[in-house]
């Protein structure tokens, strides 16, 4: 693989996350609104604000590597959002809260994998500032995963058997 194609891999990955983060700003608002459990719902609201920062940070990353900020459809996040919409149409109450906790965890795991790779790629290509910015987001995704996992477990304990 040439250096050029590694750069292209980085750019396409950044474009997908730029798409994903923009979609997630709206999706997290939906999750916060439709989740009854207070801890889970507040977690979604707080992470929505962080997600706005992730969008801004990606714009800084594009700037750092001398590329225009562009989106590229991220089919994984698109599918997660579509599946969630379909589920939420037919379900509510505790079962929807449970589903929302799970979809939140899946999304954070995916973002962690994506940002972990992008951080390494940027570092490998010598884009040190970009790598630092991506790593900052990576840490916030890891903290968000811990939070939504803990809130989901707490919810499970309170709502046993429902
Ligand atoms: Fe994010
Ligand atoms: Fe996230």
């Amino acid at each position: 693989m040439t250096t050029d194609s590694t750069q292209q891999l980085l750019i396409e990955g950044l474009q997908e996350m730029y798409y994903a983060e923009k979609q997630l700003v709206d999706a997290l608002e939906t999750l916060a609104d439709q989740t009854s459990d207070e801890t889970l719902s507040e977690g979604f609201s707080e992470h929505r604000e962080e997600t706005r920062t992730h969008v801004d940070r990606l714009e800084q990353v594009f700037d750092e590597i001398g590329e225009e900020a562009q989106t590229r459809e991220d089919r994984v996040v698109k599918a997660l959002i579509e599946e969630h919409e379909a589920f939420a149409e037919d379900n509510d109450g505790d079962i929807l809260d449970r589903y929302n906790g799970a979809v939140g965890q899946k999304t954070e795991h995916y973002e962690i994998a994506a940002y972990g790779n992008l951080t390494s790629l940027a570092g490998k290509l010598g884009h040190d500032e970009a790598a630092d910015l991506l790593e900052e987001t990576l840490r916030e995704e890891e903290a968000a995963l811990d939070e939504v996992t803990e809130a989901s477990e707490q919810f499970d304990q309170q709502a046993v058997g429902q």
Side-chain angles (χ1 to χ4, degrees):
M1 188 180 282
T2 66
T3 307
D4 271 1
S5 65
T6 308
Q7 174 81 5
Q8 193 54 33
L9 203 59
L10 172 66
I11 293 165
E12 288 175 8
L14 291 171
Q15 290 172 340
E16 284 172 359
M17 288 318 284
Y18 192 46
Y19 170 95
E21 296 285 19
K22 285 181 166 210
Q23 298 288 313
L24 290 171
V25 171
D26 291 339
L28 282 159
E29 185 176 26
T30 305
L31 285 171
D33 287 350
Q34 70 179 198
T35 302
S36 312
D37 182 77
E38 217 170 290
T39 314
L40 266 172
S41 175
E42 274 171 20
F44 289 134
S45 288
E46 281 165 22
H47 195 51
R48 179 178 192 245
E49 291 315 307
E50 278 181 336
T51 299
R52 286 179 185 280
T53 313
H54 299 171
V55 173
D56 294 344
R57 218 176 262 144
L58 281 168
E59 288 167 3
Q60 288 177 54
V61 170
F62 280 113
D63 202 44
E64 282 294 334
I65 68 167
E67 285 291 325
E68 204 182 316
Q70 271 178 17
T71 56
R72 175 186 165 93
E73 188 176 273
D74 184 308
R75 296 200 295 177
V76 175
V77 164
K78 190 172 183 237
L80 284 169
I81 291 172
E82 284 172 359
E83 288 281 304
H84 171 263
E85 276 170 4
F87 190 90
E89 259 175 43
D90 301 333
N91 295 280
D92 56 15
D94 278 2
I95 200 76
L96 183 57
D97 275 21
R98 264 184 216 287
Y99 183 94
N100 288 352
V103 83
Q105 289 175 57
K106 284 184 192 174
T107 308
E108 297 315 317
H109 271 285
Y110 176 67
E111 285 185 290
I112 288 166
Y115 279 111
N117 279 294
L118 291 172
T119 302
S120 312
L121 276 181
K124 188 179 164 62
L125 292 165
H127 301 302
D128 294 341
E129 288 294 321
D132 287 349
L133 288 163
L134 291 164
E135 194 170 9
E136 224 175 300
T137 298
L138 174 62
R139 298 293 166 236
E140 289 175 6
E141 307 295 11
E142 287 169 346
L145 174 63
D146 287 349
E147 215 165 292
V148 71
T149 304
E150 203 175 303
S152 299
E153 281 167 5
Q154 251 178 43
F155 177 78
D156 277 344
Q157 280 165 11
Q158 287 159 8
V160 181
Q162 288 177 43

